[in-house]
Amino acid sequence: TRSFTDPSVSMDLLRAVLQPSINEEIRGIFNKYMKFFQTAAINVRDNVGEEVDPEQLIQETCRSCLEQAKLLFSDGKKVVPRLPHEQAVPKRARQMDEELSRRGSPVPKKRKGRPPGQSLSNDRGVSGMAAWKLKVSEPVKRDGPKWDPSRLTETTTFVLGSRANKALGMGGTRGRLYIKHPHLFKYAADPQDKHWLTEQQHMRAIGGKMAYLLIEEDIRDLAASEDYRDSVDLRLEELKPFIPPAWMTEKMQKHMETLRRGGDVPPPEDPPE
């Protein structure tokens, strides 16, 4: 047992009282830089492929930031180990900039008169980040009637994720819909699904790229919400809904049930030749 005169106990009691306020301020700091994380995550997904989950990348980056912030309070003995790519940061940063310049790749330039994150709430498409709904470590809630597999029936209509992005005015940045609304149910089409979608001319052949299906009702509910209903970029005619075959709907029901129970569904793979 330890008495309340123990210095560490006393300090921890104070920490526990202040922790909620500290957490709020930390979340505010992350909101300030969320635009940069969001843009980078979407760029990674666009370059690597739609199997990349931008939301997961952002969460991992935020956790890494918190781990590295511990170095500010290191006593010189217990030091948080740095990741391999973070050794000799200044030198490596210069080398990367020089390499990008030689390749002609765009290097982010500093803007004058605007500190990082300032006026983010005025940037269209990122206003939701000013009131970021997800806590850094808070899992996406997958419960309620919208996550009941029984709502997927033989008459349920679906839309392609790319079309939903365009319909809500986010067509310029693929994947933004999934970051802003991670609570939406989305299903990654496997090769069999893509074959049917292509045959029925719902989409063009896209090779190994991912194709997500979303429930039309969910997108129309979003469009009717305060965030979108008055938007001049709303284009609901872009949705082009369709009814998938029963075998595909059954797969989506199983996918929804797995996600609702907290399971992790692996990305679809091409079948063996």
Side-chain angles (χ1 to χ4, degrees):
T1 59
R2 303 172 72 181
S3 68
F4 286 100
T5 58
D6 187 321
S8 61
V9 172
S10 299
M11 293 302 293
D12 197 57
L13 286 173
L14 175 61
R15 178 207 57 76
V17 172
L18 298 177
Q19 193 67 53
S21 297
I22 293 173
N23 288 348
E24 285 299 318
E25 293 193 29
I26 290 175
R27 185 156 61 246
I29 292 173
F30 276 99
N31 288 339
K32 180 179 178 181
Y33 293 96
M34 194 51 57
K35 175 180 179 179
F36 303 102
F37 292 155
Q38 180 192 32
T39 302
I42 292 176
N43 284 341
V44 171
R45 198 280 317 282
D46 288 345
N47 292 330
V48 177
E50 293 200 12
E51 67 273 12
V52 173
D53 187 347
E55 176 196 336
Q56 182 180 352
L57 285 179
I58 292 174
Q59 298 260 351
E60 291 175 352
T61 302
C62 290
R63 285 194 291 268
S64 179
C65 287
L66 291 173
E67 286 297 321
Q68 291 304 310
K70 292 180 181 179
L71 291 170
L72 296 173
F73 305 99
S74 171
D75 58 4
K77 298 178 181 178
K78 298 179 180 179
V79 179
V80 178
R82 292 193 174 192
L83 298 176
H85 68 275
E86 292 180 313
Q87 302 295 335
V89 172
K91 181 178 179 181
R92 180 165 178 77
R94 288 195 300 270
Q95 292 175 343
M96 289 179 65
D97 286 345
E98 293 171 0
E99 181 64 21
L100 288 172
S101 297
R102 285 197 298 269
R103 294 181 181 180
S105 300
V107 179
K109 297 182 179 179
K110 294 182 180 179
R111 294 184 180 181
K112 295 183 179 180
R114 179 179 174 181
Q118 183 176 338
S119 301
L120 289 186
S121 59
N122 296 327
D123 289 326
R124 190 185 170 280
V126 190
S127 58
M129 288 301 174
W132 195 31
K133 297 180 181 179
L134 281 180
K135 294 181 181 179
V136 171
S137 59
E138 182 179 344
V140 177
K141 293 183 179 180
R142 293 175 172 133
D143 51 18
K146 286 188 177 296
W147 281 88
D148 182 357
S150 64
R151 72 182 289 225
L152 305 185
T153 68
E154 58 183 12
T155 59
T156 303
T157 51
F158 290 82
V159 297
L160 290 173
S162 56
R163 290 193 175 278
N165 266 279
K166 291 180 181 179
L168 295 176
M170 295 183 283
T173 307
R174 294 185 303 157
R176 184 181 294 176
L177 173 64
Y178 312 133
I179 296 176
K180 289 190 67 175
H181 305 287
H183 63 281
L184 285 176
F185 169 72
K186 66 177 185 292
Y187 169 77
D190 62 23
Q192 182 186 23
D193 305 326
K194 292 179 186 177
H195 180 71
W196 182 86
L197 290 167
T198 303
E199 274 195 337
Q200 300 300 313
Q201 298 184 346
H202 295 305
M203 60 178 277
R204 293 177 295 176
I206 56 175
K209 292 185 179 180
M210 297 289 286
Y212 286 108
L213 303 185
L214 296 91
I215 302 171
E216 181 193 11
E217 180 185 9
D218 291 350
I219 303 304
R220 291 195 177 275
D221 286 346
L222 269 183
S225 69
E226 186 177 352
D227 291 338
Y228 294 97
R229 63 190 176 204
D230 296 324
S231 172
V232 296
D233 296 320
L234 205 61
R235 299 284 187 274
L236 293 183
E237 67 275 7
E238 291 281 352
L239 288 177
K240 310 292 184 186
F242 58 86
I243 298 177
W247 53 264
M248 191 186 300
T249 302
E250 184 179 348
K251 285 195 290 187
M252 287 189 277
Q253 287 176 330
K254 293 179 180 178
H255 182 77
M256 178 180 284
E257 180 62 29
T258 300
L259 292 177
R260 188 177 68 158
R261 292 182 178 180
D264 187 18
V265 178
E269 298 179 356
D270 290 331
E273 294 292 333

